[in-house]
Amino acid sequence: MSSLLKSGPTGNPGMKIVGYLGMLATLLLVAVPVYFIVITSFKARGDIFVSPATWWPPTWYPKNYSYVTQEIPYWQYLRNSAIITLVTGTIKFVLGVSTAYALVFLRFPFKKLLFLVVIAALMVPNQITVISNYALMADYRNTFIGIILPLAGVAFGTFLMRNHFLSLPREIVEAARMDGAGHLRLLFRVILPISIPTMVAFAVITLVNEWNEYLWPFLMSDNAAVAPLPVGLTLLQNTEQGVNWGPVMAATLLTALPMLVVFLILQRQMIKGLTSGAVKG
């Protein structure tokens, strides 16, 4: 054990202690708010507004979860979120992969300029484009088209997939071309099968972002016909005078649960995909 502690720069006991303290601090910063969300979702209203705050519910009150589905059309909001997320995610995935392939494997004028435009789009926050997008899509309020179309920009996915394609061994691509593979065969039979981890990372990040999208759907929907879960969560909060945080926290957990399950299932592939281009050769 002592030899392990003395070997290498990471074997310094002091550095190890600092590292463990850093991890503990990070864990507490993340875990404590999540813990309070969970226990608050099981508290009665009278048990929430107490001082000092209690770390454990005096009595468990699971009716907050059934209250959510009764107070707002939760299942309709869930359906809307699923439609918006899956359709927008599919469009972004297809556009991101195809655009990245074109930027790496095709020759056409102004290719570098086009990539600079993609990079520039990454620098622009979505909030800045809200006014112009709303002016263009005002006639499509309360429709899925009005919500989905402005969200279909794919700058991040193009950037991620392009960097991954550039890290692929050129010998594999050249060998496929020597065998007579065209662009479609090269993409679907060679490039994509060896890019699964990065594609999973791209898909998970896209799905989580679209599932949690709030500002634009809130502006484009004023009823439950097309509004997603984050908007419904706001409406639930507004229905309570003084805000009954128990049902709000229960709805928050129900909203986060689907993407949490997706992330837990695909986390290994996602981490592998995000780090696949870090080492080349």
Side-chain angles (χ1 to χ4, degrees):
M1 182 68 179
S2 60
S3 61
L4 289 176
L5 291 175
K6 293 178 182 178
S7 60
T10 59
N12 188 321
M15 292 303 296
K16 280 193 172 184
I17 293 174
V18 172
Y20 285 130
L21 289 176
M23 287 189 292
L24 179 61
T26 302
L27 178 62
L28 290 175
L29 287 173
V30 174
V32 171
V34 174
Y35 174 76
F36 267 100
I37 290 175
V38 174
I39 65 167
T40 302
S41 71
F42 287 101
K43 285 183 178 181
R45 184 166 188 169
D47 296 330
I48 296 174
F49 298 96
V50 294
S51 181
T54 57
W55 288 78
W56 194 256
T59 56
W60 291 88
Y61 193 76
K63 290 184 180 179
N64 286 330
Y65 288 87
S66 58
Y67 179 89
V68 170
T69 59
Q70 296 169 4
E71 186 66 21
I72 61 173
Y74 172 83
W75 301 110
Q76 189 166 1
Y77 287 131
L78 178 64
R79 182 211 66 173
N80 296 340
S81 281
I83 292 173
I84 293 170
T85 300
L86 291 176
V87 173
T88 309
T90 301
I91 294 173
K92 282 191 169 186
F93 186 82
V94 173
L95 290 178
V97 171
S98 57
T99 305
Y101 179 88
L103 288 172
V104 175
F105 298 106
L106 297 183
R107 295 181 179 179
F108 57 88
F110 308 111
K111 183 166 72 172
K112 291 184 178 179
L113 178 61
L114 179 60
F115 180 65
L116 289 176
V117 173
V118 173
I119 296 297
L122 282 172
M123 309 296 176
V124 180
N126 292 334
Q127 293 81 355
I128 293 179
T129 62
V130 163
I131 296 178
S132 58
N133 284 339
Y134 189 85
L136 291 172
M137 306 300 297
D139 293 337
Y140 295 94
R141 290 191 79 247
N142 294 315
T143 65
F144 285 118
I145 294 178
I147 295 176
I148 292 171
L149 200 57
L151 296 177
V154 71
F156 170 77
T158 301
F159 176 77
L160 178 66
M161 295 305 301
R162 174 188 177 274
N163 285 353
H164 170 71
F165 289 161
L166 287 174
S167 70
L168 296 177
R170 307 301 296 182
E171 295 81 4
I172 297 177
V173 177
E174 295 301 328
R177 285 174 172 168
M178 290 179 64
D179 288 341
H183 288 296
L184 288 178
R185 185 180 173 190
L186 177 63
L187 176 63
F188 288 102
R189 300 292 294 275
V190 179
I191 303 298
L192 296 187
I194 61 178
S195 303
I196 290 177
T198 305
M199 290 192 298
V200 170
F202 176 26
V204 171
I205 293 173
T206 300
L207 291 177
V208 171
N209 286 340
E210 300 312 315
W211 185 266
N212 294 326
E213 187 67 40
Y214 170 74
L215 179 59
W216 181 249
F218 177 75
L219 293 175
M220 293 299 292
S221 58
D222 53 19
N223 57 58
V226 296
L229 274 173
V231 177
L233 188 62
T234 302
L235 297 179
L236 174 66
Q237 183 174 339
N238 292 338
T239 59
E240 292 291 338
Q241 186 174 3
V243 186
N244 186 356
W245 289 107
V248 171
M249 294 299 102
T252 300
L253 287 176
L254 291 175
T255 301
L257 187 60
M259 289 301 107
L260 179 62
V261 172
V262 171
F263 178 79
L264 291 177
I265 294 174
L266 300 175
Q267 60 175 327
R268 289 188 178 181
Q269 292 289 332
M270 179 179 175
I271 295 172
K272 201 180 293 184
L274 290 174
T275 58
S276 62
V279 179
K280 183 178 178 181

